[in-house]
């Protein structure tokens, strides 16, 4: 169940998957609302009424961004061509927090797509100026502008994923994908915790009033 955002304007952290929500709840202080929204917002019940951070994992689109890199985009696009700027106050607080933790974040634009971006699709989106992709942040920003994004790159052009990951349950049935599954299982929790740690480090600066 999603936690309703605080109507007084407190920060809400949105996470797509159970792993990402677990990481946020483990790292963030009590009192910060964490809502699991599902991949592509499949479990999100309503638009966000207050400031938020979309926190979790993403796919890098350009070779200079390696797995484990922190991503804090200035704006997010959709395949329709729409662009949504992230809240500059939130972005500045998150960038400063990432640097304080020893991470130089990539701040190029992110694209939100309806399906996993792998293979040639990475190059196609990179050619349009995007450095990373997810499946939720642009949709969140399209409903409410007071948001920002912290993602950590799980995969990248040099560490590509099979398109089968669009349906993770199929991966267990394909033996040649098991090495990918083992790699993802090994790094995904640490990367999700890294994204949440950036939000935690910026927590005081993110407590903005309406």
């Amino acid at each position: 169940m999603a936690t309703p955002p605080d109507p007084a304007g407190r920060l809400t952290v949105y996470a797509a998957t159970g792993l990402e929500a677990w990481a946020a709840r483990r790292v963030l202080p009590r009192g910060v609302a964490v809502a699991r929204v599902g991949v592509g917002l499949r479990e999100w019940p309503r638009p966000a009424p207050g400031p938020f951070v979309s926190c979790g994992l993403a796919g890098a689109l350009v070779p200079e961004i390696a797995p484990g890199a922190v991503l804090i985009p200035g704006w997010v696009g959709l395949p329709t061509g729409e662009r949504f700027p992230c809240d500059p106050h939130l972005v500045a607080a998150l960038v400063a927090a990432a640097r304080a933790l020893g991470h130089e974040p990539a701040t190029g634009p992110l694209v939100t797509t309806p399906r996993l971006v792998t293979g040639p699709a990475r190059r196609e989106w990179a050619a349009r100026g995007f450095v990373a992709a997810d499946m939720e942040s642009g949709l969140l920003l399209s409903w409410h502008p007071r948001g920002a994004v912290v993602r950590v790159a799980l995969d990248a052009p040099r560490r590509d994923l099979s398109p089968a990951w669009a349906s993770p349950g199929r991966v267990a049935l394909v033996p040649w994908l098991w090495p990918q599954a083992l790699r993802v299982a090994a790094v995904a929790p640490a990367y999700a915790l890294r994204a949440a740690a950036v939000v935690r480090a910026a927590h005081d600066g993110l407590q903005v009033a309406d």
Side-chain angles (χ1 to χ4, degrees):
M1 291 293 292
T3 303
D6 189 326
R10 291 185 179 179
L11 179 75
T12 299
V13 174
Y14 288 111
T17 67
L19 171 67
E20 291 161 321
W22 163 83
R25 293 188 177 108
R26 179 172 179 177
V27 170
L28 292 167
R30 291 186 178 182
V32 176
V34 176
R36 178 179 174 180
V37 296
V39 176
L41 303 191
R42 293 171 191 162
E43 299 173 29
W44 196 41
R46 60 180 178 176
F52 69 89
V53 173
S54 174
C55 181
L57 305 173
L61 302 177
V62 294
E64 51 268 35
I65 297 180
V70 176
L71 312 164
I72 304 175
W75 61 272
V76 180
L78 294 179
T80 58
E82 295 174 279
R83 296 184 176 189
F84 301 98
C86 297
D87 183 282
H89 175 85
L90 302 181
V91 170
L94 291 165
V95 168
R99 288 172 176 163
L101 293 174
H103 307 294
E104 183 56 40
T107 57
L110 178 145
V111 62
T112 292
T113 60
R115 59 185 60 87
L116 192 68
V117 175
T118 62
R122 290 187 196 267
R123 295 189 294 272
E124 294 169 8
W125 285 114
R128 295 172 65 173
F130 296 100
V131 303
D134 77 356
M135 297 175 66
E136 298 83 28
S137 298
L139 300 176
L140 289 164
L141 286 163
S142 72
W143 279 303
H144 188 64
R146 292 192 63 194
V149 181
V150 177
R151 298 277 173 151
V152 170
L154 175 64
D155 48 280
R158 297 177 184 176
R159 284 283 191 175
D160 206 354
L161 294 177
S162 165
W165 281 94
S167 300
R170 295 172 52 196
V171 174
L173 304 177
V174 184
W176 66 268
L177 290 178
W178 292 348
Q180 282 190 12
L182 291 172
R183 174 166 57 85
V184 168
V187 301
Y191 291 171
L193 288 167
R194 182 174 299 173
V198 173
V199 181
R200 173 62 192 258
H203 178 255
D204 290 342
L206 293 175
Q207 297 308 295
V208 292
D210 283 335

